[in-house]
Amino acid sequence: MNFKRYRDLAIVLLALAVPFWFLRASMRDPGKVTGADKVIVRIATPLQYAAATLARGLSNIWGDYIYLVDVKEDNARIASQNARLRERVRKLESLEEENRKLRRLLDLRTSVRTDVVSAVVTGKNTNEFFRVARVTLDSESNDVRPSQPVISPDGVVGTTLKVSGDTIDVRLIVDAGSGVDVVVQRTGARGFVRGTGDEAKYLCSVEYVQRTDEVEVGDLLVTSGVGKRYPKGIPVGKVTQVVKRDFGIYQQVYATPAVDFSRLEEVLIVTSAPPEEAQPQTPAAGAAGSSTPRR
């Protein structure tokens, strides 16, 4: 029992003495180092080096860990900020696109100089007889009736077909029952655009184009203003094919609509004729208004 107590006491004294002797040996003047100090220094040096290396390694590992934790938190925060910014950019782009469309619609409303009613496309219907779009008025109006022109910022859409409250069925210009008097913007050649009724694609034929008229693929067709229906100069379509004939009065021309009906969203319904066409002057009226008849 006493041996065990003395043993424990010796271990405690040794544990206290060894660090003291190591420290003493390290702090003494090298010129006054004894043999025992040299032995202690020789033993302590690799131990101190190993301890310092281990401490540096642990310090680096701990620093890297803290750094990685901070980086992970920063990455999570940046990813969250990027997600919010991307969502904001999408909203801003959507608003910008909507504003662009509204500006185009407003510019069209101003340029046609007629009474118009705005509407939004709510559906499309295609069958073997009709190519029809359904629109809903933005506001109540009693001026909308069948057979009124319907236009968009891109060009002619068609004519109103059926009116039921604020819901309007519009006959598209690609329907076989539609027709628009046009001119070739580049040359002034006259023609009449009629829908082909083709269910597979949006296509129009341009009838009554004189065989001697100059028409080329890519020419833009615009409304002529004749007939007191469509305002003058509204795009109708682009020529896609010209079939020259060696006989007959007319040549065969095909065109695609200026309006992309698959993306059509907003339209204007023209409820009155353009001012210059509302009361056309006739020779008879001119003669009646003259104070001195011509002989």
Side-chain angles (χ1 to χ4, degrees):
M1 188 69 180
N2 292 333
F3 173 76
K4 183 177 181 181
R5 184 174 60 183
Y6 291 139
R7 185 194 65 185
D8 294 341
L9 180 61
I11 292 174
V12 170
L13 292 175
L14 182 62
L16 292 175
V18 168
F20 171 76
W21 284 107
F22 282 173
L23 180 62
R24 176 176 175 276
S26 298
M27 296 179 61
R28 292 193 62 177
D29 185 358
K32 300 179 180 179
V33 175
T34 64
D37 291 336
K38 292 181 179 179
V39 172
I40 293 174
V41 170
R42 187 173 293 117
I43 296 174
T45 298
L47 294 177
Q48 290 177 340
Y49 177 79
T53 302
L54 179 61
R56 285 196 299 270
L58 292 175
S59 176
N60 291 335
I61 293 174
W62 179 253
D64 291 342
Y65 170 75
I66 296 299
Y67 173 76
L68 290 176
V69 169
D70 291 340
V71 168
K72 185 176 181 180
E73 292 177 353
D74 290 341
N75 288 341
R77 184 171 60 254
I78 292 172
S80 178
Q81 292 175 349
N82 286 339
R84 290 197 298 270
L85 290 175
R86 283 195 298 267
E87 181 63 22
R88 186 176 180 182
V89 168
R90 282 194 293 268
K91 289 181 178 179
L92 291 175
E93 289 177 345
S94 177
L95 289 174
E96 184 179 1
E97 179 64 17
E98 184 177 355
N99 288 336
R100 185 184 66 82
K101 291 179 180 179
L102 291 176
R103 284 197 301 270
R104 293 187 65 199
L105 205 63
L106 180 61
D107 292 342
L108 177 63
R109 181 191 290 266
T110 304
S111 65
V112 295
R113 294 180 295 147
T114 60
D115 296 328
V116 296
V117 177
S118 59
V120 177
V121 177
T122 56
K124 301 181 182 70
N125 179 30
T126 302
N127 56 47
E128 59 180 335
F129 299 108
F130 298 107
R131 301 296 291 268
V132 177
R134 178 160 292 175
V135 302
T136 301
L137 299 179
D138 288 336
S139 58
E140 294 184 4
S141 175
N142 296 323
D143 298 328
V144 180
R145 299 178 179 83
S147 300
Q148 290 178 331
V150 181
I151 59 178
S152 78
D154 292 324
V156 172
V157 175
T159 55
T160 54
L161 181 65
K162 180 181 177 182
V163 180
S164 178
D166 63 350
T167 301
I168 317 294
D169 286 342
V170 177
R171 186 199 300 268
L172 304 179
I173 61 170
V174 291
D175 180 73
S178 70
V180 185
D181 197 273
V182 300
V183 296
V184 178
Q185 188 180 55
R186 182 175 60 88
T187 63
R190 294 285 299 276
F192 191 81
V193 170
R194 191 182 299 277
T196 62
D198 189 344
E199 291 189 28
K201 54 186 174 181
Y202 295 121
L203 186 65
C204 301
S205 63
V206 189
E207 301 176 352
Y208 309 121
V209 179
Q210 297 287 335
R211 187 161 57 91
T212 56
D213 286 338
E214 183 183 351
V215 181
E216 297 179 356
V217 173
D219 279 342
L220 179 63
L221 306 173
V222 298
T223 53
S224 65
V226 174
K228 297 186 293 185
R229 297 186 68 186
Y230 292 95
K232 187 177 181 179
I234 303 296
V236 177
K238 281 190 176 182
V239 175
T240 56
Q241 183 181 6
V242 179
V243 181
K244 296 287 186 178
R245 294 176 177 174
D246 296 331
F247 59 90
I249 301 176
Y250 307 111
Q251 55 183 310
Q252 185 62 55
V253 179
Y254 292 96
T256 55
V259 176
D260 184 355
F261 295 113
S262 64
R263 298 184 178 180
L264 185 63
E265 295 181 358
E266 298 95 3
V267 299
L268 294 179
I269 301 175
V270 181
T271 57
S272 65
E276 64 273 14
E277 297 176 1
Q279 294 180 348
Q281 186 74 15
T282 62
S290 175
S291 58
T292 304
R294 299 183 63 183
R295 298 183 181 272

